Amino acid sequence: MKLKESLFTRRKFLNWSLTASLAALFGTAVGPVWRFVFPGEVGPEPTEVELKDFPELLPGTGKLFKFGRHPAIMIRTPDGKLKSFTAVCTHFECTVQYKKDTNQIWCACHNGFYDTNGKVVSGPPPRPLEEYDVAVEKDKIIVSRRGAPKGEKPKEKA
Amino acid sequence: MINLKNWFYERTGIEAILDFLRKKQVPDHKYTFWYYPGSILLILIGVQIITGCLLLLYYKPTIETAYESVSFITKYLPFGSFLRSLHAWSSDLIIAIAFIHMFSTFLLKSYRPPRELIWISGTFLMFILLTFGFSGYLLPWNELSLFATSVGTQIAGSMPIIGKYLLLFLRGGEYISGDTLTRFFALHVIILPLILLALAAVHVLLIQHHGMSVPPSVESSPAKKKDIPFYPDFLLYDAVNGLFVFSGLVILALFLPKELGIKADLLAPAPAGIKPEWYFLFMFETLKLIPSMVLSFEGKQLGVMIFALGAVFLICIPFLDRWSAKNKRSPLFTLIGFGILIYIFVMTAISYLGE
């Protein structure tokens, strides 16, 4: 039986087509905008840095340096040991500093204290600071992440 | 002169708007005072647009030039320090008055049906204003603002599910860098203003549509209320309030100019006594007091979750307060409102006293 008029009118068809086109337009825009807004992969952080001309640290002092894209701290403990940690506090990522009077690593943002092994002593930091291996060679100091595969490390000179 | 006026009126149809304003009535009762903060906010937003545009003529948004350009504005440009202080003090006043506006409408239960969307758009406006303050704080690229941004973006980054993306979006990378400054600049001068203007337009148009909310205690006894014309009566009150606030702003900018501080160094430790802007102090103090681990949760994540839930609660208030919706007394929500206020005051005071 032939209907007198179509169930799907021309107006309906045009409305559907327009809605579908607009949805497709916005749909296809989401991906490119998302990828544009969020920065792409910048590659892994180096597992080792070579510090040339790093100043001689006196016992009970510390100094910040750049380890890849984040700050790290080198300290010489009062008994003369050279140690290095990430300088990014595990609480809210403020940069920590060495405090000579208490021989501790301190984050001023929320008053978090770590000992010279990177362990949390007091305050809100939830985790210890990551400790790096320090190797002193003739004219340079090599700071490397613990457990990183030896021999084929992506290096960075600082 | 009259011909020119007629020419203008005929071509713009402005007479219809003026007619509408003359006929528009505003309720007048013992709580009318609490209607004023809203219009003062609009005036101060105008101040921000003008002073912000002027500062933009000299500000340079890169980590090598941002601090220097703000320093140049304040040290060498005629009225530069005054304009920058005006902009900074006005932002402080906006947040303070927005808090007053929000809590007065909360306690007077102005969110009752059919005004739910006015409350929700207002809550989002409050969040936008706080983001304005947060993004503007970094632009001078000084030591304090760098670490406030580091903590602030990490707070956003600690949110469940969306946190990771929010952090990358705000910082433009894993860590704070020049890319973060560029993003904050874009947010502060174009993205946020567009959102703010659109949201404020919705907010004001909805108020226009529903009229000013009258507190339940006044609504129940019409004898306590009369109406006054919006133009010129209410507009004159607004003008006088605006003049008083602007005079206060000028006095603050002249006698208490904002300091620029030390230039930010990405390889420097966080300085002692670091604090965010005063309106984030209650959150800052809370995050300081929560222990590192609470049961099996990291303290900071718990803190951030509490604040995120608090924000959702604020948005949903019109749908949660069923008593006010039925025009009944709602002492529980009055108590909650005062509770939040007291919490903010106490935590802010602890943060100041702990200095």
Side-chain angles (χ1 to χ4, degrees), chain B residues 31-288:
Chain B
Y31 298 113
T32 297
F33 173 82
W34 299 108
Y35 292 148
Y36 300 138
S39 9
I40 293 172
L41 278 174
L42 288 176
I43 293 167
L44 287 176
I45 287 169
V47 171
Q48 289 307 75
I49 292 172
I50 295 166
T51 51
C53 285
L54 290 170
L55 291 171
L56 262 181
L57 297 177
Y58 292 93
Y59 178 72
K60 295 172 186 158
T62 70
I63 54 173
E64 290 82 23
T65 54
Y67 182 87
E68 283 74 9
S69 63
V70 178
S71 177
F72 174 76
I73 290 169
T74 51
K75 279 186 194 156
Y76 300 109
L77 285 178
F79 303 104
S81 171
F82 173 67
L83 270 175
R84 180 180 169 247
S85 295
L86 210 57
H87 193 73
W89 272 114
S90 178
S91 81
D92 281 342
L93 278 184
I94 283 179
I95 302 284
I97 294 169
F99 267 117
I100 293 170
H101 186 47
M102 187 169 193
F103 279 99
S104 62
T105 47
F106 184 173
L107 293 169
L108 292 171
K109 315 287 179 341
S110 307
Y111 48 76
R112 294 177 343 269
R115 294 183 175 80
E116 298 96 322
L117 287 177
I118 300 180
W119 170 265
I120 293 170
S121 56
T123 316
F124 278 105
L125 277 168
M126 182 80 218
F127 299 152
I128 293 288
L129 291 176
L130 289 172
T131 320
F132 252 113
F134 180 61
S135 55
Y137 196 47
L138 180 70
L139 298 188
W141 196 248
N142 60 29
E143 204 181 34
L144 282 178
S145 68
L146 176 69
F147 288 103
T149 307
S150 173
V151 175
T153 48
Q154 251 298 308
I155 289 177
S158 302
M159 300 235 285
I161 306 162
I162 55 163
K164 192 179 94 182
Y165 298 104
L166 209 53
L167 182 98
L168 276 176
F169 170 71
L170 288 170
R171 288 187 178 174
E174 252 177 300
Y175 299 100
I176 306 258
S177 66
D179 295 343
T180 318
L181 182 64
T182 312
R183 281 184 178 225
F184 273 45
F185 176 69
L187 271 174
H188 195 77
V189 304
I190 185 74
I191 301 170
L192 290 174
L194 287 177
I195 300 174
L196 179 89
L197 290 179
L199 257 180
V202 169
H203 193 69
V204 171
L205 284 173
L206 284 173
I207 295 168
Q208 183 51 51
H209 177 61
H210 292 297
M212 300 282 214
S213 164
V214 177
S217 60
V218 179
E219 208 167 42
S220 56
S221 49
K224 289 181 184 171
K225 178 190 136 218
K226 59 176 182 161
D227 285 330
I228 56 165
F230 177 78
Y231 178 82
D233 298 38
F234 194 78
L235 216 52
L236 282 173
Y237 283 121
D238 274 346
V240 173
N241 292 332
L243 276 175
F244 268 114
V245 171
F246 190 70
S247 311
L249 186 62
V250 169
I251 290 167
L252 284 169
L254 277 178
F255 295 101
L256 295 166
K258 292 278 182 175
E259 299 281 333
L260 181 54
I262 303 164
K263 185 178 175 176
D265 176 0
L266 288 169
L267 208 58
I274 179 170
K275 274 186 185 152
E277 287 277 66
W278 60 269
Y279 39 87
F280 290 124
L281 277 179
F282 73 97
M283 282 199 243
F284 176 81
E285 198 57 32
T286 309
L287 292 168
K288 213 169 171 175

Side-chain angles (χ1 to χ4, degrees), chain A:
Chain A
M1 187 185 82
K2 197 179 174 192
L3 292 172
K4 279 185 185 165
E5 55 188 55
S6 168
L7 286 174
F8 204 72
T9 59
R10 188 184 304 180
R11 168 64 48 212
K12 232 179 197 173
F13 173 76
L14 285 173
N15 282 347
W16 271 97
S17 306
L18 187 64
T19 312
S21 306
L22 286 174
L25 179 71
F26 283 110
T28 46
V30 169
V33 169
W34 180 274
R35 285 182 59 187
F36 182 84
V37 166
F38 291 96
E41 282 291 317
V42 278
E45 284 255 54
T47 52
E48 182 178 298
V49 288
E50 285 181 10
L51 305 172
K52 287 195 172 174
D53 306 320
F54 197 74
E56 180 66 31
L57 292 179
L58 294 171
T61 57
K63 187 169 169 52
L64 292 163
F65 62 95
K66 218 172 164 201
F67 192 114
R69 294 187 290 275
H70 69 271
I73 188 165
M74 182 84 75
I75 58 169
R76 192 177 285 281
T77 58
D79 54 3
K81 275 186 202 152
L82 205 56
K83 294 189 139 200
S84 182
F85 304 89
T86 172
V88 182
C89 179
T90 58
H91 187 226
F92 276 112
E93 294 195 358
C94 284
T95 309
V96 298
Q97 58 189 291
Y98 177 73
K99 238 174 129 58
K100 191 180 180 179
D101 52 346
T102 55
N103 185 32
Q104 284 173 328
I105 298 168
W106 176 50
C107 177
C109 282
H110 295 92
N111 224 19
F113 283 91
Y114 304 86
D115 65 15
T116 49
N117 292 312
K119 291 205 178 78
V120 181
V121 177
S122 65
R127 288 181 303 281
L129 291 175
E130 183 187 352
E131 185 168 359
Y132 301 137
D133 286 328
V134 180
V136 183
E137 293 185 5
K138 214 177 2 180
D139 59 343
K140 62 189 177 192
I141 302 172
I142 298 171
V143 183
S144 53
R145 294 186 88 143
R146 289 190 169 170
K150 301 280 174 193
E152 289 176 22
K153 293 172 183 175
K155 285 186 183 176
E156 184 172 274
K157 286 185 182 174

Side-chain angles (χ1 to χ4, degrees), chain B residues 307-319:
Chain B
F307 287 123
L309 287 176
V312 174
F313 172 76
L314 268 184
I315 295 166
C316 295
I317 281 172
F319 309 107

